[in-house]
Amino acid sequence: MHVLILGADGYLGWPTAMYFSQKGWNVTAVDNYFRRNACTELDVGMLYPLPSLQERAQLWYELTGHEIKVIIGDIAEPEICRSLFTGTRPYNWAKDTSFTGLPEVIVHYAEQPSAPYSLLNYHYADVTVTNNLRVTNNLMFAVRDLCPTAHLVKLGTMGEYGTPNIDIEEGWIDIEHKGRKDTFLFPRQASSLYHTTKIMDTDLLWFGTRTWNLRVTDLMQGPVYGIDTYESEQNERLRTLFNYDEIFGTVINRFITQAIAGYPLTVYGKGGQQRGYINIKDTLQCVYKAAENPPDAGRLKIYNQIMETYSVNELAELTQKAARKAGYKVTINHIDNPRKEAEDHYYNPQHQGLLDLGVLPHYLTEESMLEMIRTVEKFRKNIRKDVIFRGIKW
Ligand code: USQ
C-alpha cells in the first residue's frame, strides 16, 4: 500500500510518515517547509533545532531499512500537486524523479494550522485562506482526474463545531423540520479564521464526494499534545518539532514548557473553555485506523478525533500538580483573553467512532505529563520567555 503524506514536515506529518512506514507501507512524504519557514520568519523559537526532512528520512532508513521518499514542493501550485499523481516533476532540481505509483491513501495535513497566525493581520489571514483552500481544491481536482479511487484522509478540527449548547455529533445531525426529516453536516461556527478555512475545506470535499464519488474521511481533531512517539524513541533526531510559543504551541505543550521555565501558566480569561484533547500517539493510531477503513465511493465519513475533554483550568491544575512532583513551583495566571471565545459553556462531543475502529487511548495523567516534563526540561536552556505571550488579539 502506498500513502502520500502531505504536510509531512509538520508536528503531525513526520510522526505519521514514520508510523505508516513501520507498518510496512510505502510512504511518500511531501512538504514545502511552510511551518519551519513560518517559525523562522516569526521568530517563535522552536524548542530544539530540526533536521531537514531528507535527513530524518535518511536516518529512519539507516535505523529501520524502510525508505520514506521525500518530495519538497508546494502543492498550492496546481502543477506540483498534479505531479504527485503523474510522476512528471515540474521542477528540474528534484534529485529523485522516480515515480512510485499512485497512492491508495492520501493524508492531507498540508494546511496552515494556527488560529493566532491566521489573525496576526490581513497578510497572514490571506496566506491562511489562500493556502488552505487552494491546496484542498488542487488536491480534490487532482484526485478526481488522476487517482479517483484513492481514499483522501483530511485533517479537520473540532473547532469547526465551536461550542454549541447541544451535544456535538460525529459530523452529521438528523433534523426534523415541519414534519420532514433529513441528515445534514452538523452545524459549524468557528471562532477563528483558521478554523473557518477548515469548515470551508470540509465543504469543498463534501461537494467533491457528492459530485464525483470521491471517498473522503474528515478527522475532526482537538488540540494535540506530546512529543515522542514509539518510532521517535529510537533516536532523538527523529523527534517531531515542538512549539511552545503563542502562535504554534498548543495549550498543554505550552503549559508544560511554562512550568519548566518558571513562567506563570497563561490561562486565557476565566479558563472555563472546554476542548477535546488527544495525545500525539493517538493521532497516529486514529489516522492509521481511518486509512485502513475507507468509506464507499461518494461517502464522506467523519470522526471526532479526541480522547477526553478538559477545561483550561483543569489543564492548568493538572500541570501544576505534575510539575510539583518534578520539583517545580508553578503559579497560575488568568490573563485577559486575547481570543473571542466562550469561557463558560456546555460541551459534550461524541467520540466513539475511532474507538470502535480499535484505537487504544493514551489518557492525560500526571504520569504522562511528567514524562513530557522530563523530555522538555532537557532543553530548558533553549526556552525563550519572550515568545510565550505576545497578545495576538481578535
Ligand atoms: N489557551 C489558554 N492559554 C494558552 C493557550 C491556549 O487558555 O496559553 C486556551 C485557548 O484560549 C483555547 C484552548 O486553550 O480555549 C485551546 O487552545 P490551543 O491554542 O491549544 O488550540 P487552538 O487554537 O484551538 O488550535 C489547536 C491547533 C489547531 C487545531 C485545534 C483543535 O493549533 O491546529 O485545529 O487545536 S480545536 O481546538 O479542537 O479546534
Side-chain angles (χ1 to χ4, degrees), residues 113-116 156-160 194-195 221-224 248-252 254-255 258 266-268 273 275-277 312 337 339 341:
S114 157
T157 174
M158 287 296 289
E160 291 176 48
Y194 150 70
H195 289 94
Q221 187 171 243
V224 182
F248 290 114
T250 47
V251 64
I252 299 175
R254 277 167 64 65
F255 281 0
Q258 291 168 9
T266 53
V267 172
Y268 294 167
Q273 303 92 303
R275 300 287 183 270
Y277 290 88
V312 179
N337 197 337
R339 305 181 179 195
E341 60 184 0

Side-chain angles (χ1 to χ4, degrees), residues 211-261:
T211 311
W212 301 310
N213 281 329
L214 305 185
R215 3 174 145 243
V216 179
T217 297
D218 198 1
L219 298 173
M220 310 293 274
Q221 187 171 243
V224 182
Y225 62 92
I227 311 177
D228 276 314
T229 59
Y230 297 113
E231 292 67 49
S232 73
E233 278 164 4
Q234 301 181 48
N235 185 303
E236 60 181 34
R237 283 171 59 81
L238 292 176
R239 246 183 216 139
T240 190
L241 57 82
F242 189 88
N243 284 118
Y244 58 92
D245 62 282
E246 182 184 349
I247 297 176
F248 290 114
T250 47
V251 64
I252 299 175
N253 291 356
R254 277 167 64 65
F255 281 0
I256 295 232
T257 312
Q258 291 168 9
I260 293 166

Side-chain angles (χ1 to χ4, degrees), residues 23 28 72 150 163 222 392:
K23 294 270 189 195
T28 302
I72 301 301
T163 50
I392 299 161

Side-chain angles (χ1 to χ4, degrees), residues 15-288:
T16 306
M18 290 192 290
Y19 192 87
F20 275 80
S21 178
Q22 61 86 23
K23 294 270 189 195
W25 286 53
N26 177 1
V27 177
T28 302
V30 184
D31 206 289
N32 65 345
Y33 283 151
F34 168 84
R35 173 67 167 268
R36 60 170 80 207
N37 290 339
C39 287
T40 306
E41 178 194 341
L42 298 167
D43 189 30
V44 301
M46 275 195 203
L47 190 63
Y48 38 78
L50 211 55
S52 71
L53 196 48
Q54 290 95 334
E55 284 169 327
R56 289 190 284 181
Q58 178 62 29
L59 178 58
W60 177 249
Y61 179 68
E62 285 161 16
L63 288 169
T64 65
H66 295 306
E67 190 185 353
I68 293 178
K69 188 177 159 72
V70 173
I71 295 177
I72 301 301
D74 184 358
I75 59 171
E77 293 299 329
E79 285 311 308
I80 294 185
C81 186
R82 293 176 87 81
S83 78
L84 300 175
F85 303 92
T86 59
T88 322
R89 298 275 168 262
Y91 37 87
N92 57 14
W93 63 86
K95 268 199 236 151
D96 178 1
T97 51
S98 62
F99 181 50
T100 43
L102 290 172
E104 278 80 24
V105 174
I106 302 150
V107 177
H108 173 21
Y109 290 133
E111 298 204 9
Q112 188 300 98
S114 157
Y117 179 103
S118 73
L119 287 159
L120 272 166
N121 61 29
Y122 172 75
H123 167 73
Y124 295 100
D126 186 48
V127 171
T128 304
V129 171
T130 309
N131 179 76
N132 292 4
L133 297 183
R134 259 199 123 196
V135 163
T136 305
N137 196 40
N138 287 349
L139 189 58
M140 178 170 74
F141 274 86
V143 170
R144 182 196 76 165
D145 297 341
L146 304 166
C147 194
T149 57
H151 175 199
L152 181 51
V153 179
K154 200 263 298 184
L155 198 78
T157 174
M158 287 296 289
E160 291 176 48
Y161 300 126
T163 50
N165 199 31
I166 59 171
D167 289 2
I168 297 174
E169 303 301 328
E170 291 206 69
W172 303 94
I173 187 167
D174 298 326
I175 292 185
E176 193 175 335
H177 181 64
K178 296 185 177 171
R180 303 179 70 83
K181 282 186 190 161
D182 207 341
T183 303
F184 296 91
L185 283 177
F186 193 88
R188 265 87 167 145
Q189 41 188 0
S191 61
S192 87
L193 190 66
Y194 150 70
H195 289 94
T196 303
T197 64
K198 306 290 284 188
I199 296 175
M200 293 168 168
D201 63 24
T202 297
D203 254 326
L204 274 176
L205 294 175
W206 173 214
F207 171 78
T209 54
R210 295 194 309 269
T211 311
W212 301 310
N213 281 329
L214 305 185
R215 3 174 145 243
V216 179
T217 297
D218 198 1
L219 298 173
M220 310 293 274
Q221 187 171 243
V224 182
Y225 62 92
I227 311 177
D228 276 314
T229 59
Y230 297 113
E231 292 67 49
S232 73
E233 278 164 4
Q234 301 181 48
N235 185 303
E236 60 181 34
R237 283 171 59 81
L238 292 176
R239 246 183 216 139
T240 190
L241 57 82
F242 189 88
N243 284 118
Y244 58 92
D245 62 282
E246 182 184 349
I247 297 176
F248 290 114
T250 47
V251 64
I252 299 175
N253 291 356
R254 277 167 64 65
F255 281 0
I256 295 232
T257 312
Q258 291 168 9
I260 293 166
Y263 194 105
L265 303 189
T266 53
V267 172
Y268 294 167
K270 289 188 207 156
Q273 303 92 303
Q274 294 182 59
R275 300 287 183 270
Y277 290 88
I278 180 166
N279 187 307
I280 190 166
K281 292 175 176 143
D282 294 343
T283 294
L284 309 186
Q285 290 189 67
C286 291
V287 173
Y288 191 76

Side-chain angles (χ1 to χ4, degrees), residues 215-379:
R215 3 174 145 243
V216 179
T217 297
D218 198 1
L219 298 173
M220 310 293 274
Q221 187 171 243
V224 182
Y225 62 92
I227 311 177
D228 276 314
T229 59
Y230 297 113
E231 292 67 49
S232 73
E233 278 164 4
Q234 301 181 48
N235 185 303
E236 60 181 34
R237 283 171 59 81
L238 292 176
R239 246 183 216 139
T240 190
L241 57 82
F242 189 88
N243 284 118
Y244 58 92
D245 62 282
E246 182 184 349
I247 297 176
F248 290 114
T250 47
V251 64
I252 299 175
N253 291 356
R254 277 167 64 65
F255 281 0
I256 295 232
T257 312
Q258 291 168 9
I260 293 166
Y263 194 105
L265 303 189
T266 53
V267 172
Y268 294 167
K270 289 188 207 156
Q273 303 92 303
Q274 294 182 59
R275 300 287 183 270
Y277 290 88
I278 180 166
N279 187 307
I280 190 166
K281 292 175 176 143
D282 294 343
T283 294
L284 309 186
Q285 290 189 67
C286 291
V287 173
Y288 191 76
K289 290 283 182 199
E292 276 188 319
N293 290 278
D296 292 337
R299 302 299 297 243
L300 169 66
K301 259 197 199 177
I302 304 178
Y303 296 102
N304 290 346
Q305 190 161 303
I306 60 174
M307 296 299 145
E308 53 196 329
T309 58
Y310 283 102
S311 70
V312 179
N313 284 330
E314 287 168 331
L315 293 178
E317 281 158 26
L318 199 59
T319 308
Q320 194 177 42
K321 269 198 212 154
R324 192 178 295 138
K325 282 199 173 153
Y328 296 99
K329 192 168 173 294
V330 175
T331 54
I332 296 175
N333 193 11
H334 285 261
I335 53 186
D336 280 351
N337 197 337
R339 305 181 179 195
K340 269 231 150 78
E341 60 184 0
E343 294 176 7
D344 192 8
H345 57 90
Y346 180 76
Y347 200 58
N348 189 24
Q350 309 303 301
H351 53 98
Q352 192 56 40
L354 288 160
L355 301 175
D356 289 346
L357 293 184
V359 170
L360 302 169
H362 295 75
Y363 292 110
L364 185 67
T365 59
E366 268 179 55
E367 288 63 42
S368 64
M369 281 202 149
L370 262 173
E371 215 176 281
M372 279 183 70
I373 289 170
R374 296 294 178 218
T375 307
V376 173
E377 68 186 356
K378 288 185 200 155
F379 303 96

